[in-house]
Every structure is written in structure tokens, then in C-alpha cells.
Amino acid sequence: MKGLAARAADLLGADLTEARGLHGGDLSEVIGLRLTDGRQAVAKSGSAARAEAEMLRAIAATGAPAPRVLAVADDILVMEDLGRDEGPSVAWTDLGAVLRRLHAFEGPDYGWHRDHAFGPVPIPNGPARDWPAFWAERRLLPSCPAIPADLARRVEALARRLPELLPARPPASLLHGDLWSGNVMARNGRVTGLIDPACYHGHSEVDLAMLTLFGNPDTGFRRAYGDPQPGIEARRPIYQLWPALVHLRLFGGGYRGLVERCLDAAS
């Protein structure tokens, strides 16, 4: 922690008063900093620091809240400290409005101009001919060589059916890309920041599906976000399958059941 804190202080051009470990992701170190000039900041380690900084700026450019990037190097990102976090349960209605604003920002194509990764799991983001092809070729099929053969066969079979199950050309909304409740900071009924993004352009339902994978947004969220598109319930497990596969690859067989439930529901 001391090495990360010292480097962050150097990037900010100030001396360090305090460094404390913060609860962060499983794939990086996150610390809070207090500097002698009175500033407070959060530093995060990781090889994708510059890419994440770019994504935070992209989110902020839509008017959605994101921590301000204070400094960045190849393997360290220093951000604004958003202060006390109460979690999205205090701000579901505001989160609905925030996501509606984020998703209204559309790109020219699906994907992103560079690939990304969740730790050792690559996230290919190159364009594809249509949205079902993107979801098959850039999200589902890349996991097949890394998962048990029986699951891989089921994923491959589902991928072949995606032209029947997903819209061919939905709006290419800007997505957070990893929108579970732990990546939504909120306080006093307002979202203060969307953090740890894995942005790309795609079907807006991807973020909504991820948000419901490990959480349960209330009716205020749904009213603020807007009416769902017909067929959303049938598409949800197809979109939830991607994070389920990532969790299986990152954290092991304890997530096999989640993958199987998504596959069952998508069949």
C-alpha cells in the first residue's frame, strides 16, 4: 500500500499525510489518500488505468456522475474522493435517471475503440456486423476454451440462436459495462458516482441485466428509467450469462451454478 500511496502523491505533486486501504474490487488495490495540502483522493492500481480513466471521462461527458480523474499513469489511477457511500439502495430513483442519461448517448457502432479486460479475462471490443454477432463473438464465445466442455457446448448452441433472440440493431448506447450495485456510489438519495467501468457501446439492456444479477432495483428505478422494451425478460438471462462466465473464469467452480441457471433460462 505504501508504494501505491507514494506514487499517487507524486503524481499529484504533494506530500502524503495518510493512506488507508479501501474496499475495492478483487482485481486491484484501492487506497484512500490525505495530502498535506488538504486534498483527499482515491488511488487504484491496475494495468488498465489509462483505459479506465478514459471511460470515467466518457461517463462524465454524458452528464452522468463519475469521479473526476486527478492523475493517471500506465498502472495507477488517481481519482476524486467521493466521500461517504451509502450504496444504491438509497438512490434507486436517481440511478434510473442517471442510467437513462448515460444510455441516451449513442456511438456509431457496437464495441469500443480498444479492448479491455477483467484481470486475466480479456474483453474483446472490436466491431461486429450486428448486435447478435457482437454478443456471440465478443462476449459469449471467447469464454468457451476456458470453461468445462459441457458448458462450452451449451454456450456455443445458444450463440448460434442469437439472431433469433436478440434485436439485430438496437441503439448503440454507452454502457457502464460492469454495473453491479458495488459499482454505484450514492449518498442522501443521489448517485455520487459510477465507478470501475468497463465501457463500450451496446444494447442498453446489458447494464440493466447486470444490475439485477446481484441486486433488485425498486419501482422508483423503473419509473425513472422508463418503460422496458418488449421481450426484456427473455433477453435478460442471455445478457447475464456474460458476467456469469466471467465470474466462473475468475473465481472458479462456485459460479458454475449461476452459468447453468442463465443457460437454462435462456433456452
Side-chain angles (χ1 to χ4, degrees), residues 190-240:
R190 306 289 293 184
V191 176
T192 58
L194 303 179
I195 63 171
D196 294 345
C199 290
Y200 59 101
H201 290 274
H203 192 186
S204 58
E205 289 179 13
V206 171
D207 274 348
L208 303 181
M210 181 66 185
L211 194 59
T212 58
L213 184 59
F214 300 118
N216 187 28
D218 65 14
T219 55
F221 172 88
R222 291 186 280 274
R223 285 196 302 269
Y225 184 81
D227 293 335
Q229 300 167 7
I232 187 173
E233 296 292 341
R235 292 185 291 271
R236 181 174 295 147
I238 300 173
Y239 293 146
Q240 290 178 335

Side-chain angles (χ1 to χ4, degrees), residues 30 42-43 49 82 104 142 186 202 215 229 235 239 242:
V30 183
V42 172
L82 297 176
Q229 300 167 7
R235 292 185 291 271
Y239 293 146
W242 154 240

Side-chain angles (χ1 to χ4, degrees), residues 170-193:
S173 297
L174 180 60
L175 305 179
H176 176 281
D178 190 21
L179 195 70
W180 69 290
S181 59
N183 286 342
V184 179
M185 297 189 69
R187 185 173 65 253
N188 298 331
R190 306 289 293 184
V191 176
T192 58

Side-chain angles (χ1 to χ4, degrees), residues 80-225:
E80 170 190 11
D81 186 344
L82 297 176
R84 179 171 55 87
D85 175 36
E86 299 174 349
S89 62
V90 305
W92 283 127
T93 298
D94 191 47
L95 181 59
V98 163
L99 281 191
R100 184 170 184 164
R101 189 178 308 130
L102 180 72
H103 292 163
F105 188 89
E106 297 178 17
D109 209 340
Y110 306 118
W112 196 245
H113 59 275
R114 68 169 87 190
D115 292 340
H116 197 49
F118 289 132
V121 176
I123 306 176
N125 279 326
R129 63 186 179 276
D130 56 29
W131 175 245
F134 181 91
W135 198 251
E137 297 165 9
R138 306 290 184 262
R139 292 298 177 264
L140 301 187
L141 294 177
S143 285
C144 288
I147 62 176
D150 61 323
L151 291 181
R153 287 191 292 271
R154 295 188 65 186
V155 171
E156 290 165 351
L158 176 63
R160 289 193 292 270
R161 296 179 55 222
L162 290 187
E164 311 162 20
L165 303 174
L166 298 181
R169 297 194 178 277
S173 297
L174 180 60
L175 305 179
H176 176 281
D178 190 21
L179 195 70
W180 69 290
S181 59
N183 286 342
V184 179
M185 297 189 69
R187 185 173 65 253
N188 298 331
R190 306 289 293 184
V191 176
T192 58
L194 303 179
I195 63 171
D196 294 345
C199 290
Y200 59 101
H201 290 274
H203 192 186
S204 58
E205 289 179 13
V206 171
D207 274 348
L208 303 181
M210 181 66 185
L211 194 59
T212 58
L213 184 59
F214 300 118
N216 187 28
D218 65 14
T219 55
F221 172 88
R222 291 186 280 274
R223 285 196 302 269
Y225 184 81

Side-chain angles (χ1 to χ4, degrees), residues 242-256:
W242 154 240
L245 289 168
V246 171
H247 278 71
L248 177 64
R249 294 175 64 181
L250 287 175
F251 307 120
Y255 284 95
R256 179 185 174 107

